[in-house]
């Protein structure tokens, strides 16, 4: 049976996150949309508060909190750090997704570390802000095509290559870099390495100017003889051709529901504001009357709300599975695909329904429509998620269905 209530133990966390979104994010949302590349300094104090919330609740309020639980054969229901993180992210992104992405110590690199790091690595790198660098000029959707190499030299790995579109790359303290130990061995040789941002071999090339999420910095890097200690490799250094890409891809099972949660938050923001503006224009949504007997705007709104609910439930399900040690690659991709597409469609349709008010800068609706698109692109595009879902459902490998 599906229980649609937020678990009691997470209610305070979701409430606090909503308060932060309302009182901190929303008031500065437009300011940092306009001031691209300037750091939202208001977030420093807030980040400490979020650290405290995570410690206090024993589970994550931000991306740093996710840790995959191992299945212990216990069929009991566990609501853990993945679900609490998703709930926190939904609320914060209802406030502003660009600001959430700029939050110190809550990067997607932090989730990657939390997902696969050993206890020693957690001790060493935990508490630092980590960005995630997978994409390269010749490797976007096809992450198996990455060309960055990591060569063992004594007690160090030497990294060489180029990384583009690294969210929080300029501001983070650590960059989780995907590189190949041996390109001749294909996907199995791809590993992730933790690189300190001030490593002299990691050179900032440029910052991107973007359509949306302008509060968040997006950096391009050159790695030139970048030396990291052997211990910076996350997970096992063994190249296991039987496991293939599984090791590195495992982090996506935890991070895709988080990006889906960002989309759910933005979708809800757009829907709520649209409902208020429609009400001001005399269109009330009536849940007791069939949609087709209502004004066209109300009927369209109800349709969008149904899509929003489906995206939200998919997202909660994928996170809940991670908390309960259940394989969730299929559900993580379904959630990311559904939530990303819903967010883009709903945000644009809200602009349409609200007319001039939706398009102007007096409202945040036009900004949300711009912010939405990235949520359907990074951590795997819409098309790639659909491909993964199809492969899983049909039992096909990546070479059989591409
Ligand atoms: C603002 C921003 C922030 C980002 N942050 C990060 C980050 O922090 N870390 C990081 O590593 N990357 C990041 N990225 C990169 C992002 O993950 C990639 O842009 C994304 O994976 C797509 O890769 P690509 O741009 O090379 O597009 P391509 O892979 O070239 O794809 C182009 C189009 O073709 C489609 N396509 C590709 N292959 C197939 C196929 N087999 N079947 C059907 N359609 C297909 C895609 O869906 C897409 O629509 C970011 C990107 C942006 C714009």
């Amino acid at each position: 049976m599906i229980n649609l209530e937020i678990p009691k133990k997470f209610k305070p966390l979701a409430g606090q996150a909503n308060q932060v979104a309302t009182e901190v994010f929303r008031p500065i949302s437009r300011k940092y949309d306009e001031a691209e590349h300037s750091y939202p300094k208001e977030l420093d104090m807030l980040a400490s508060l979020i650290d405290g919330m995570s410690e206090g609740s024993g589970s994550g309020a931000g991306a740093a909190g996710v840790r995959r639980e191992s299945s212990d054969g216990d069929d009991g229901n566990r609501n853990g750090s993945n679900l609490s993180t998703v709930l926190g992210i939904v609320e914060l992104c209802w406030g502003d997704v660009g600001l959430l992405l700029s939050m110190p110590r809550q990067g997607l690199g932090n989730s990657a570390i939390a997902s696969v790091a050993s206890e020693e690595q957690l001790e060493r790198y935990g508490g630092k802000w980590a960005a995630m660098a997978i994409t390269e000029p010749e490797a976007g959707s096809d992450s198996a095509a990455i060309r960055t190499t990591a060569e063992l030299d004594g007690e160090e790995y030497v990294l060489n290559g180029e990384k583009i579109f690294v969210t929080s790359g300029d501001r983070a303290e650590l960059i989780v870099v995907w590189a190949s130990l041996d390109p001749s061995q294909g996907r199995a040789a791809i590993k992730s390495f933790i690189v300190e941002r001030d490593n002299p071999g990691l050179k900032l090339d440029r910052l991107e100017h973007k359509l949306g999420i302008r509060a968040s910095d997006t950096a391009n890097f050159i790695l030139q003889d970048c030396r990291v200690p052997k211990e910076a490799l996350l997970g096992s250094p063994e190249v296991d051709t039987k496991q293939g890409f599984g090791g590195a891809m495992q982090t996506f099972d935890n991070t895709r529901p988080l990006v889906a949660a960002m989309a759910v938050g933005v979708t809800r923001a757009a829907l709520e504001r649209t409902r208020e503006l429609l009400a001001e224009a005399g269109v009330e949504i009536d849940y007791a009357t069939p949609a087709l007997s209502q004004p066209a705007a109300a009927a369209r709104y109800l349709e969008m709300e149904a899509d929003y609910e489906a995206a939200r439930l998919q997202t909660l399900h994928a996170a809940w599975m991670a908390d309960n040690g259940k394989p969730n690659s299929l559900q993580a991709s379904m959630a990311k695909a559904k939530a990303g597409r819903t967010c883009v469609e709903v945000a644009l349709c809200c602009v349409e329904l609200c007319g001039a008010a939706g398009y102007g800068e007096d409202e945040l609706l036009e900004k949300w429509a711009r912010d939405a698109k990235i949520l359907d692109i990074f951590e795997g595009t819409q098309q790639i998620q659909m491909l993964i879902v199809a492969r899983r459902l049909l039992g096909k490998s990546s070479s059989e269905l591409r």
Side-chain angles (χ1 to χ4, degrees), residues 8-53:
K8 211 160 147 193
K9 69 172 176 175
F10 296 150
K11 275 192 178 156
L13 182 136
Q16 280 170 323
N18 182 272
Q19 202 180 346
V20 165
T22 308
E23 291 170 15
V24 184
F25 280 14
R26 283 284 178 96
I28 58 171
S29 194
R30 181 64 74 186
K31 175 179 165 189
Y32 288 103
D33 179 48
E34 286 170 358
E36 194 175 20
H37 297 166
S38 41
Y39 173 66
K41 51 192 181 314
E42 293 87 343
L43 298 183
D44 281 339
M45 190 197 67
L46 193 58
S48 316
L49 200 87
I50 299 247
D51 291 343
M53 276 158 68

Side-chain angles (χ1 to χ4, degrees), residues 339-387:
R341 187 173 59 225
T342 299
C343 185
V344 172
E345 287 176 359
V346 167
L348 267 180
C349 187
C350 286
V351 167
E352 187 181 304
L353 288 183
C354 296
Y359 202 69
E361 288 192 356
D362 289 345
E363 287 289 335
L364 288 170
L365 282 168
E366 66 80 30
K367 177 183 178 302
W368 293 330
R370 286 186 285 110
D371 288 347
K373 189 60 202 173
I374 190 58
L375 303 170
D376 205 30
I377 296 177
F378 65 11
E379 285 301 281
T381 64
Q382 172 70 216
Q383 293 75 15
I384 294 303
Q385 305 304 337
M386 301 295 269
L387 197 56

Side-chain angles (χ1 to χ4, degrees), residues 149-154 156-160 179-181 193 226-227:
T149 53
E151 205 175 315
L152 191 59
D153 181 22
E156 292 177 324
Y157 284 104
V158 186
L159 275 60
N160 278 290
S180 173
L181 288 177
F193 299 82
C226 178
R227 292 184 165 270

Side-chain angles (χ1 to χ4, degrees), residues 132-135 140-141 165-167 210 374 378 381 383-384 387:
M132 185 85 172
I134 304 169
T135 308
S141 295
F165 290 118
V166 183
T167 298
K210 307 188 297 293
I374 190 58
F378 65 11
T381 64
Q383 293 75 15
I384 294 303
L387 197 56

Side-chain angles (χ1 to χ4, degrees), residues 30-101:
R30 181 64 74 186
K31 175 179 165 189
Y32 288 103
D33 179 48
E34 286 170 358
E36 194 175 20
H37 297 166
S38 41
Y39 173 66
K41 51 192 181 314
E42 293 87 343
L43 298 183
D44 281 339
M45 190 197 67
L46 193 58
S48 316
L49 200 87
I50 299 247
D51 291 343
M53 276 158 68
S54 302
E55 272 164 33
S57 66
S59 53
V66 290
R67 184 103 176 119
R68 197 162 184 87
E69 312 286 346
S70 60
S71 178
D72 52 8
D74 171 9
D75 286 328
N77 176 29
R78 206 188 283 130
N79 293 319
S81 60
N82 287 277
L83 191 60
S84 73
T85 303
V86 155
L87 292 169
I89 285 179
V90 168
E91 295 305 326
L92 292 169
C93 291
W94 171 87
D96 190 294
V97 63
L99 291 170
L100 179 274
L101 288 166

Side-chain angles (χ1 to χ4, degrees), residues 1 8 44 61 65 91 116 120 210 226 245 293 298 315 331 335:
M1 191 173 113
K8 211 160 147 193
D44 281 339
E91 295 305 326
V116 293
E120 295 76 46
K210 307 188 297 293
C226 178
F245 215 12
S293 309
T315 304
Q331 289 77 8

Side-chain angles (χ1 to χ4, degrees), residues 168-179:
S168 299
D170 193 31
R171 298 168 184 164
E173 296 159 284
L174 307 171
I175 316 280
V176 177
V177 173
W178 283 29

